[in-house]
Amino acid sequence: LISRAAREREKKLPSQTQAAELPECDPMSSRESWEDADPTCQELSARMRKISVQELPRLLSLLERCTQLTTLDLELNYLSSEGTRRLCDELRKSTSIKSLNLANNGLGVAGAKHVADLLRFNHVLQSLNVEANTFTDEGAELVASALAVNSGLRMLRMGHNSLGPRFVERFAQAMRQNCTLTTLDIRNNWIREAGLRLLCEVFTSGFDVNTTLTNLNLSTNGLNSECAICISEVLRESKSIVSLDLGNNNIQDQGAIGLAAALESSTSLRHLGLASNRLTNAAMDAFADALSKVDSLHSFNLQNNNIGPNCSSLARLLRDTRVLEELDVSLNNLDASDAAMIGSALQSNTSLRILRIRDNELEEGTACFVEALQKNEGLMLLDVSGYGADVTAQLRTSLERNRHLFWTPQRHAMFGPRTHECLRLTLLCARQLASEGVLPLLPPPIWQRIFQFLRRSDFDAPPAYNRRDFSATDQTEGTDQEVQEQEGDGAETEEDDEL
């Protein structure tokens, strides 16, 4: 919400005493349809608006009027291949749109051909999302071939498209000529070991090795421990990979130990994701040894593995790491003994800023965290959602003494005084910008809840705000009494979880 426009207007924001006198404003009240968008807007979201071929002429007319548009979001509509053809023909002439989202539009192989043609002629587009469009290898090969002549695209997201080794082979060939693509996200496909080995050749083979592709998301692709060993060789040789997500595969301890050894040679990797890979304490021992020597890795995701209970290597990792800033060990069977060791390690840790330990079995070890948080001045976010009221009560004591800490107990967002004030000022800034139409992407029900929240006068204390306050399923603003009734209702719905 704090954008360039916000900073330019920072001096004009009202003081806290004037906040209650601000006029009511809803940025979307006069924009019930995407067709009414301001011609000078830079971002346009028409997500889930049931746009089909019949409504497409009105969208194309709008694009002609919005000459300053840079971001176009058309996710979850019904464009189909014919609608994609007409849209891509129009976007070929665009000199402003840099981000395009066509996810979940039923494009199919025929639609993939039109997207590939767009990439051959348009060199302004920098970000393209075509997830969940049933491209299969046949359609994805066409898009990959177009990358060989494209000189503008920086980010490509092609998850959930039933891709396999055929696509990876064509993509690897294109990357020998492409010098601009930096991010490839192909999560939830099926490239498996054969496809991974072809992808690894992009970074290791010959004189035309690619040095611009820096971010890879290969989660949920049927990768095993042999794949991890192959990636380890890439990490040793490549000096360009910054982010690597291998979550929800079957790497196991053998593959993780190989990755840990490679970290000692890697100087570029900043983020590593290994969630849901059946890792145990043996893998943690290897990573603890590696991270005591590594100066590059800043973010590490180990969610939903089996590293606990009695995982002393996790405490050793926290104690010896010098640069790790974010660690996620949620859903890892950690118990009270682990809480004691982690708490002790946090007292001497100076680098960690974000720690996520939700949904473990740490209730009996909460006192260790309370003691550690009173001495640790670096940690800024502690995710302990999934624990009972006793844990929340004990951590409240630490919150009162540790003013910089932001934490998330069970199903709520609790704020330290400083963070709470930042939220208040952020919403005030959003309200000011909303009157000028700068923030059109939030749907009306969300804005209504934000303004209800903003009008409350209990900002001096850090209360818990239930997520139902911001429920996107409510179509009307409702009275304060109705909001209180919703807060009192403890039942959670699928819509809440989706939000």
Side-chain angles (χ1 to χ4, degrees):
L1 294 178
I2 304 298
S3 61
R4 180 183 302 174
R7 291 193 294 269
E8 292 175 353
R9 297 169 176 81
E10 189 175 13
K11 296 181 179 180
K12 300 180 181 179
L13 284 179
S15 63
Q16 297 182 23
T17 58
Q18 297 173 316
E21 301 175 1
L22 282 174
E24 299 296 326
C25 59
D26 185 339
M28 297 292 290
S29 60
S30 61
R31 299 184 189 171
E32 298 179 356
S33 170
W34 52 268
E35 300 176 72
D36 300 324
D38 188 342
T40 63
C41 69
Q42 295 185 351
E43 298 182 358
L44 174 63
S45 176
R47 180 179 298 201
M48 297 181 65
R49 297 302 179 93
K50 299 181 180 180
I51 300 176
S52 61
V53 177
Q54 287 72 27
E55 289 80 25
L56 196 60
R58 297 200 296 273
L59 175 62
L60 298 181
S61 175
L62 176 63
L63 294 181
E64 291 180 357
R65 299 197 306 271
C66 297
T67 57
Q68 301 178 33
L69 192 67
T70 61
T71 300
L72 178 60
D73 186 351
L74 297 174
E75 185 174 351
L76 287 164
N77 285 291
Y78 309 125
L79 293 181
S80 71
S81 59
E82 174 60 20
T84 306
R85 179 188 67 80
R86 297 170 64 178
L87 176 64
C88 290
D89 287 345
E90 179 67 27
L91 292 179
R92 283 189 190 187
K93 303 175 289 185
S94 173
T95 58
S96 63
I97 295 180
K98 297 181 179 180
S99 178
L100 177 63
N101 185 354
L102 296 177
N104 286 280
N105 267 283
L107 306 188
V109 176
K113 179 181 182 299
H114 303 311
V115 171
D117 291 339
L118 172 65
L119 291 177
R120 288 189 178 91
F121 291 96
N122 185 311
H123 299 278
V124 176
L125 192 66
Q126 296 182 5
S127 175
L128 175 62
N129 184 351
V130 287
E131 291 183 341
N133 274 298
T134 61
F135 276 3
T136 70
D137 279 340
E138 183 180 357
E141 282 182 296
L142 300 173
V143 176
S145 298
L147 293 175
V149 296
N150 181 278
S151 60
L153 200 65
R154 304 289 188 271
M155 176 186 294
L156 176 61
R157 299 179 61 181
M158 296 184 66
H160 304 270
N161 269 300
S162 303
L163 309 184
R166 280 177 52 194
F167 158 74
V168 179
E169 182 178 10
R170 186 63 60 89
F171 176 81
Q173 295 171 359
M175 285 298 99
R176 308 251 180 239
Q177 299 170 272
N178 185 291
C179 299
T180 58
L181 192 70
T182 61
T183 300
L184 175 67
D185 185 340
I186 52 172
R187 70 184 77 187
N188 289 89
N189 285 294
W190 201 241
I191 68 170
R192 308 186 72 179
E193 183 176 351
L196 182 80
R197 292 189 179 278
L198 293 169
L199 184 61
C200 288
E201 292 179 2
V202 173
F203 303 95
T204 58
S205 298
F207 296 100
D208 51 355
V209 59
N210 185 285
T211 59
T212 57
L213 192 60
T214 58
N215 305 298
L216 289 173
N217 189 333
L218 306 177
S219 58
T220 319
N221 264 285
L223 308 182
N224 55 26
S225 56
E226 294 298 322
C227 297
I229 293 174
C230 181
I231 295 174
S232 300
E233 296 301 322
V234 173
L235 293 178
R236 287 189 177 94
E237 295 185 30
S238 173
K239 305 301 180 183
S240 61
I241 298 180
V242 174
S243 176
L244 177 63
D245 193 339
L246 300 173
N248 201 25
N249 285 294
N250 191 29
I251 288 176
Q252 302 188 39
D253 286 344
Q254 181 182 356
I257 291 172
L259 289 171
L263 287 179
E264 299 182 20
S265 304
S266 174
T267 58
S268 61
L269 193 65
R270 298 290 184 270
H271 166 78
L272 178 60
L274 291 175
S276 304
N277 269 290
R278 301 171 64 184
L279 308 184
T280 68
N281 205 352
M284 284 305 302
D285 283 334
F287 282 117
D289 292 337
L291 291 181
S292 65
K293 308 170 186 177
V294 170
D295 290 329
S296 61
L297 193 67
H298 291 173
S299 175
F300 196 13
N301 187 352
L302 289 167
Q303 181 183 147
N304 196 27
N305 284 292
N306 299 301
I307 64 177
N310 300 316
C311 185
S312 58
S313 54
L314 174 58
R316 183 160 59 90
L317 183 151
L318 288 170
R319 185 175 57 251
D320 296 341
T321 183
R322 294 172 290 183
V323 296
L324 190 65
E325 296 180 354
E326 180 175 359
L327 177 64
D328 190 340
V329 287
S330 304
L331 292 158
N332 266 287
N333 301 316
L334 302 176
D335 61 11
S337 63
D338 296 307
M341 292 184 286
I342 294 172
S344 176
L346 285 176
Q347 295 186 38
S348 58
N349 182 286
T350 59
S351 65
L352 201 65
R353 299 292 179 265
I354 300 174
L355 176 61
R356 305 183 188 276
I357 52 173
R358 63 180 178 83
D359 296 304
N360 285 291
E361 300 175 3
L362 306 177
E363 284 84 350
E364 297 180 2
T366 306
C368 302
F369 279 108
V370 172
E371 181 180 356
L373 293 176
Q374 292 173 4
K375 298 180 180 180
N376 184 301
E377 296 184 355
L379 197 65
M380 299 179 66
L381 187 148
L382 176 64
D383 185 349
V384 290
S385 54
Y387 300 104
D390 292 341
V391 175
T392 301
Q394 293 185 53
L395 285 173
R396 180 183 293 275
T397 302
S398 180
L399 173 67
E400 293 172 350
R401 299 181 182 182
N402 194 339
R403 293 302 182 90
H404 61 271
L405 183 64
F406 163 65
W407 58 302
T408 57
Q410 184 177 16
R411 298 298 185 186
H412 295 82
M414 295 286 283
F415 298 88
R418 292 183 185 176
T419 306
H420 198 80
E421 180 63 15
C422 287
L423 172 68
R424 196 181 83 86
L425 294 176
T426 300
L427 292 180
L428 286 173
C429 183
R431 191 176 194 177
Q432 180 74 10
L433 292 176
S435 64
E436 304 177 19
V438 181
L439 301 171
L441 293 181
L442 289 179
I446 299 298
W447 276 109
Q448 291 164 0
R449 293 304 179 187
I450 285 179
F451 295 131
Q452 278 189 343
F453 176 85
L454 192 58
R455 285 196 297 270
R456 296 177 181 177
S457 59
D458 53 0
F459 284 108
D460 294 333
Y465 298 105
N466 193 290
R467 292 182 305 165
R468 293 180 66 86
D469 287 356
F470 298 91
S471 173
T473 62
D474 297 334
Q475 298 302 315
T476 59
E477 180 173 352
T479 63
D480 291 339
Q481 181 179 359
E482 291 173 340
V483 174
Q484 292 174 1
E485 290 175 355
Q486 289 179 352
E487 290 178 346
D489 183 7
E492 293 186 359
T493 65
E494 294 182 0
E495 288 83 1
D496 291 328
D497 291 335
E498 183 179 358
L499 176 61

